[in-house]
Amino acid sequence: MRAANRAHASTAQSNGQASALLVRFFVAVIATLALLLVWRPAVLHAQETATTSSQEPAAKSHVVKAGETLWSLAARYYGDGHQWQNLARRNGIPISDEPPLKVGMRLSVPARPTVRGAKAAEVAAAPADSSVPKAALAKAGEGTLPGSEATPARAPSGSLAAQTAGKSNAGATGKSAAAKKSVAAAPAEPKSAASVAEAPDTSKADLKPAIGTIMGGSTVRRVGLVEQDGQTSSRKASEVFTVFHRDLPDAAEAERRTRAVLRPNTPVPRTAEFESAPFIVSAPTLLTLGRVSSRVGASETSGESYPQRAIKTDAVELQPPAKGSYKVGDRFMTFATPATFGKGRVLVYPTGIVEVVKADGAKPALAIVQRQSGRIEQGQQLLPAPTVTASWVQAQKLTTPDVSTTVTWLDAQEVLPTLQSFVIVGAGTDQGLEAGDEMAVYGLAKTGGSEALVATVRVVRAERDHASTVITRQYQTEITLGMAARRYAKAP
């Protein structure tokens, strides 16, 4: 029984050893296959390289043609233009030359171009950036003329070689003279008819520069092929000399021309002064006028501080008078009435100009504020806007003052009227005043009781019995009511 057990144990041990050997065999096979897969491409590539090198030559020659560059040749034979340095190094070409390639140069290039594909070669042969050095893109034969290879290089224009080109040394003067004598003594060769016909006739040409005198007795040399008389005689009969006339006016004429194009430096009536100058109307006139009813889009509950006040470009509604109506295109002057002016008269202070843009029967007309010279508010009345403004005029000074009146109105809001302040005088068109006239305002001197010039004013608007003026010059501080005003310059 024990012997049987021992035999069974030895059989099991041999089976285990066989299994271990089988596993080792399979591992060795798998490792061998892996090594073959890894090393096979390198071995095959080495074999192909050795076969190619044994069958084909390593290099061949290429003759450089005009227009070829190191870049294009590298793209052609290496398949990549960036290999131009390898091509230059292979042929010992210094890349600092401009251009490094010469027409007819023989280069050593790969015998079998290593082109990686037509598209790759096309892209490699056409660089799009500016990082490629100029030596790689310099074309062979660029900047040279045909046959320039046999022609020696020309020296720079400022060099010594250029300055002495074609000139002999001083010691060779005698030799060159003897050579000239021998050439002159030699019999001349007969010339062909063609060469005689082509040669220009210079026997009548005067190659000496013409000499003449100019003003002052100094001498001037005019370099030309013919003299002055020859130039004059060669002109055609139909040609005439061109005469350039220079206009040099005298001092009086120059001043007249200047005044004709420049306005004199004197105060003149302006449109803004005419439209904003206060004037006087009769009280009954106000009873027949329309008024500003409201500003479009404004309301008392809108939260605005001044809901019924309009400015330029605003739209306003106009209420026509009881016996009248408005039409599109009518222009009106809005005005305020700050104070009365005597019995039955009212001072009118213009605030702006409005123009009717929409009129619909009995409804309020719609108008746009065109100009503004004051506060345009609800309830202000309307007068027809003046159609004539104060044109530019230059007043002519009078020998003696002819119209005498007094200052009848000053703006109560101004403590001391000064330049550009409005003043109303008690004379108008009935006395001959008109826009553009100039008047002098006089007051009593502080000492002596005589008159003294206080200011000058210019008429900007003249009504029947008064005129609105603006202060242009001021000589004393205070201007008061009742001061005398006399016209000293009249508009033409």
Side-chain angles (χ1 to χ4, degrees):
M1 192 70 182
R2 288 179 180 177
N5 290 336
R6 288 177 182 174
H8 181 74
S10 62
T11 303
Q13 185 178 1
S14 63
N15 291 337
Q17 292 177 354
S19 299
L21 290 175
L22 185 61
V23 169
R24 290 178 181 178
F25 174 77
F26 279 114
V27 170
V29 170
I30 293 173
T32 303
L33 292 176
L35 290 175
L36 289 175
L37 290 175
V38 171
W39 293 101
R40 179 177 175 79
V43 173
L44 293 178
H45 180 70
Q47 291 177 352
E48 291 179 359
T49 305
T51 304
T52 304
S53 61
S54 62
Q55 292 178 356
E56 297 182 1
K60 68 176 183 179
S61 61
H62 172 83
V63 179
V64 178
K65 301 179 181 61
E68 292 181 337
T69 63
L70 287 174
W71 184 281
S72 63
L73 293 178
R76 177 178 175 182
Y77 291 104
Y78 290 89
D80 185 5
H82 292 89
Q83 300 295 327
W84 65 274
Q85 291 184 341
N86 294 336
L87 178 62
R89 192 181 303 108
R90 180 174 185 170
N91 292 273
I93 300 174
I95 60 176
S96 60
D97 292 348
E98 291 286 347
L101 296 181
K102 304 293 188 295
V103 177
M105 181 184 294
R106 190 173 296 275
L107 303 179
S108 174
V109 296
R112 184 177 181 181
T114 348
V115 181
R116 292 192 297 268
K119 186 65 177 177
E122 180 182 354
V123 174
D129 57 356
S130 59
S131 61
V132 180
K134 295 182 179 179
L137 303 178
K139 297 180 180 179
E142 187 176 22
T144 61
L145 297 175
S148 60
E149 298 171 6
T151 305
R154 182 179 299 177
S157 59
S159 63
L160 180 62
Q163 298 177 14
T164 59
K167 299 179 181 180
S168 59
N169 295 330
T173 306
K175 185 177 179 180
S176 61
K180 290 181 180 179
K181 282 187 178 181
S182 63
V183 171
E189 296 180 1
K191 297 182 179 180
S192 61
S195 61
V196 173
E198 293 176 359
D201 183 13
T202 59
S203 59
K204 297 182 179 180
D206 184 8
L207 301 180
K208 296 185 298 182
I211 301 176
T213 59
I214 60 174
M215 293 179 62
S218 59
T219 303
V220 61
R221 293 181 178 272
R222 294 186 296 272
V223 180
L225 295 179
V226 295
E227 296 181 353
Q228 187 70 24
D229 295 340
Q231 294 180 7
T232 305
S233 60
S234 65
R235 296 177 64 91
K236 297 180 181 179
S238 59
E239 295 182 2
V240 295
F241 288 98
T242 303
V243 178
F244 295 93
H245 175 67
R246 184 180 180 186
D247 186 11
L248 295 175
D250 55 11
E253 178 64 17
E255 184 178 0
R256 188 194 66 79
R257 295 181 184 182
T258 303
R259 291 182 178 277
V261 296
L262 297 178
R263 293 183 177 181
N265 189 19
T266 56
V268 296
R270 296 178 296 186
T271 302
E273 292 175 348
F274 178 81
E275 293 179 349
S276 58
F279 58 99
I280 301 168
V281 297
S282 61
T285 304
L286 303 181
L287 302 177
T288 60
L289 301 179
R291 65 182 62 249
V292 178
S293 58
S294 64
R295 176 168 64 89
V296 175
S299 63
E300 297 291 345
T301 60
S302 62
E304 300 181 43
S305 301
Y306 304 98
Q308 297 300 335
R309 188 174 290 177
I311 60 176
K312 189 176 180 180
T313 71
D314 277 351
V316 294
E317 291 183 350
L318 306 182
Q319 183 66 43
K323 296 181 180 180
S325 61
Y326 298 146
K327 63 180 182 298
V328 176
D330 288 347
R331 291 170 58 88
F332 297 96
M333 177 181 65
T334 60
F335 62 91
T337 55
T340 58
F341 195 86
K343 186 177 181 180
R345 308 181 75 187
V346 180
L347 180 68
V348 170
Y349 226 117
T351 57
I353 302 293
V354 298
E355 182 176 350
V356 178
V357 295
K358 184 177 180 181
D360 186 10
K363 295 181 180 180
L366 183 65
I368 301 296
V369 179
Q370 299 290 344
R371 300 179 68 89
Q372 184 179 10
S373 56
R375 292 188 301 183
I376 303 176
E377 297 177 334
Q378 178 185 16
Q380 288 184 352
Q381 292 183 289
L382 307 171
L383 278 171
T387 57
V388 180
T389 59
S391 58
W392 180 85
V393 292
Q394 182 177 2
Q396 304 294 329
K397 290 187 177 181
L398 303 174
T399 306
T400 56
D402 57 351
V403 177
S404 296
T405 183
T406 58
V407 176
T408 58
W409 176 86
L410 294 172
D411 193 343
Q413 298 179 358
E414 296 181 353
V415 179
L416 291 174
T418 183
L419 297 177
Q420 300 302 311
S421 296
F422 289 111
V423 176
I424 295 180
V425 297
T429 56
D430 290 350
Q431 290 75 28
L433 289 182
E434 57 181 275
D437 291 350
E438 295 186 5
M439 306 185 74
V441 178
Y442 296 92
L444 295 177
K446 294 182 179 180
T447 59
S450 59
E451 284 187 339
L453 180 62
V454 176
T456 59
V457 298
R458 184 184 63 250
V459 178
V460 295
R461 180 168 188 149
E463 300 296 333
R464 184 181 62 82
D465 56 355
H466 68 279
S468 303
T469 67
V470 63
I471 300 174
T472 56
R473 293 181 181 87
Q474 189 171 2
Y475 303 97
Q476 293 188 22
T477 305
E478 189 175 4
I479 302 175
T480 58
L481 293 175
M483 284 187 172
R486 302 186 185 92
R487 182 172 67 176
Y488 70 92
K490 187 178 185 306

